[in-house]
Amino acid sequence: MKIAVMAGDGIGPEVTAQAVKVLKAVLGPTQAVELVEAPIGQAGIDSAGDPLPAATSEIARRADAILFGSAGMPGDEAIPFAMRPGASLLRLRKELGLFANFRPAFLFPELIGASTLKPEIVEGLDLMILRELTGDVYFGEPRGSGTNARGEREAFNTMRYSEPEIERIAHVAFRTARARRRKLCSVDKANVLEVMQLWREVVTRVGAEYPDVELTHLFVDAAAMQLMRAPKQFDVIVTGNIFGDILSDAAAMLTGSIGMLPSASMAAGSKGLYEPVHGTAPDIAGKDLANPLASILSMAMLLRYSFGLAEQAERVERAVRAVLAEGLRTGDIFQPGCRRVGTRDMGEAVVAALRRAAG
């Protein structure tokens, strides 16, 4: 097991350190694992003058899986794209072919009071948003900015998908739904955008190969509304890059905090990059305030998806729930009657819960 550890910027190093601590605890001394640290984002610029140094790319290619923290800092948008710390992650996804982004949204019963929605709306929530990750407007060409013939500043990006790209993510989505509750909702904007008309057509055609999976379609604006109105109607949602980015962050608030949600970005095989959904949160970086549970749960996904260690992944998830049941909370999920803890103490509590469960 060779794992590249890319802590990145902001709160990334703090939460990743706790995920590594839990990883070592759940694997124990007998499991052979090699952890290779590599700089990315601003750390990459500081060490090698590039947010995605060549050495980091090489480490990523050789690794079986990548545990990622966060990348990007305020002011990124004023820097040329290739040199933005935050763009390092997009470049890495493209280089490694990480096209399928799994973003689960589930609610621990202990956190039902942390959601801003009524308990009856979110109780029992368990859905998966599958986001296509290497196409769409984030990568489409042409892109750029300049001055038009009237002397006005303008900028442009291109939403683009090919048929094989849509087929590929559609097959992953149907297989994912088949392993869950056999319901798939494809989200697009086919009433306005030609690229989304192709998306709907291809997803529908692929769906004929999965007659045991119920396929529905929603426009993205209706999907956003339904996520807030009745989120438990969804099992698996599949959508493009930009819509998936927005919807998955919205779904995070159903669970009480974006600091609770893990994600996995998978290539065609078992190789994946695992990261918490939250960003760098520079306002709390270095203050021992960040919630490490999303990073710890991302590491559990790493064990399950890249190495087939479902039992160890479940142990980590049970330990997280045990800690929440004890009433420990970081500031983002704090509720009256609970005990507020910092990043390090939350990580230590998960390790302690693992050890108690192991006897």
Side-chain angles (χ1 to χ4, degrees):
M1 296 172 59
K2 186 171 185 176
I3 301 172
V5 179
M6 302 181 185
D9 307 322
I11 63 173
E14 297 171 77
V15 298
T16 304
Q18 302 311 309
V20 169
K21 184 188 300 180
V22 176
L23 172 67
K24 292 177 178 178
V26 74
L27 291 180
T30 60
Q31 180 73 55
V33 59
E34 180 183 0
L35 302 174
V36 184
E37 296 185 4
I40 196 167
Q42 186 61 48
I45 294 174
D46 294 342
S47 66
D50 188 334
L52 182 60
T56 296
S57 292
E58 182 62 21
I59 289 170
R61 282 191 292 269
R62 291 178 178 273
D64 300 311
I66 301 161
L67 183 61
F68 189 88
S70 58
M73 298 299 287
D76 256 10
E77 65 279 359
I79 305 171
F81 182 81
M83 288 302 294
R84 293 176 188 173
S88 58
L89 180 57
L90 274 69
R91 291 169 56 192
L92 189 60
R93 289 169 177 167
K94 196 71 171 179
E95 283 187 14
L96 300 179
L98 303 171
F99 72 94
N101 182 223
F102 293 82
R103 292 195 171 193
F106 52 87
L107 182 68
F108 287 97
E110 295 79 8
L111 293 182
I112 194 166
S115 175
T116 54
L117 274 70
K118 296 177 180 177
E120 61 268 26
I121 299 296
V122 294
E123 185 176 12
L125 177 73
D126 178 13
L127 66 91
M128 177 71 76
I129 296 179
L130 184 58
R131 168 189 173 194
E132 198 291 325
L133 205 57
T134 58
D136 207 342
V137 72
Y138 291 174
F139 293 98
E141 296 289 346
R143 64 185 295 157
S145 60
T147 305
N148 63 24
R150 296 185 297 275
E152 303 161 336
R153 292 179 64 207
E154 64 178 13
F156 54 93
N157 296 87
T158 303
M159 178 177 276
R160 184 186 299 271
Y161 269 119
S162 68
E163 191 168 12
E165 286 177 313
I166 303 169
E167 289 175 341
R168 181 173 63 172
I169 194 68
H171 279 292
V172 174
F174 279 105
R175 290 196 296 267
T176 301
R178 177 177 276 174
R180 289 172 51 95
R181 300 192 299 277
R182 298 177 183 262
K183 293 174 61 178
L184 176 64
C185 180
S186 176
V187 172
D188 58 43
K189 194 64 176 170
N191 59 332
V192 176
L193 303 170
E194 286 83 356
V195 67
M196 292 286 101
Q197 293 165 11
L198 177 64
W199 177 282
R200 182 172 292 207
E201 175 190 324
V202 173
V203 172
T204 302
R205 175 169 51 76
V206 172
E209 301 179 36
Y210 301 85
D212 55 327
V213 176
E214 176 190 346
L215 173 63
T216 57
H217 301 273
L218 276 178
F219 298 141
V220 63
D221 41 358
M225 179 185 69
Q226 291 297 327
L227 268 176
M228 298 299 109
R229 189 186 73 83
K232 289 184 288 185
Q233 69 181 284
F234 296 108
D235 179 21
V236 178
I237 295 173
V238 63
T239 190
N241 206 343
I242 190 167
F243 296 160
D245 192 359
I246 296 165
L247 290 178
S248 59
D249 278 11
M253 294 317 298
L254 300 171
T255 70
S257 172
I258 199 169
M260 288 299 301
L261 293 192
S263 75
S265 302
M266 305 300 296
S270 61
K271 186 165 190 161
L273 181 148
Y274 303 85
E275 59 174 317
V277 171
H278 63 67
T280 53
D283 56 321
I284 61 171
K287 299 178 180 179
D288 194 39
L289 296 175
N291 186 346
L293 294 181
S295 186
I296 291 169
L297 292 169
S298 296
M299 182 273 295
M301 294 182 78
L302 177 153
L303 293 173
R304 178 178 285 113
Y305 286 19
S306 283
F307 299 111
L309 298 176
E311 188 272 332
Q312 288 87 341
E314 290 167 6
R315 286 174 56 200
V316 171
E317 291 158 357
R318 287 196 299 268
V320 168
R321 182 168 180 181
V323 166
L324 294 173
E326 293 169 14
L328 274 65
R329 302 287 189 272
T330 46
D332 58 313
I333 53 173
F334 182 75
Q335 299 165 265
C338 296
R339 181 160 68 90
R340 190 188 298 263
V341 296
T343 310
R344 289 186 297 273
D345 284 347
M346 184 64 88
E348 290 289 350
V350 175
V351 170
L354 276 171
R355 290 173 177 159
R356 285 196 303 272

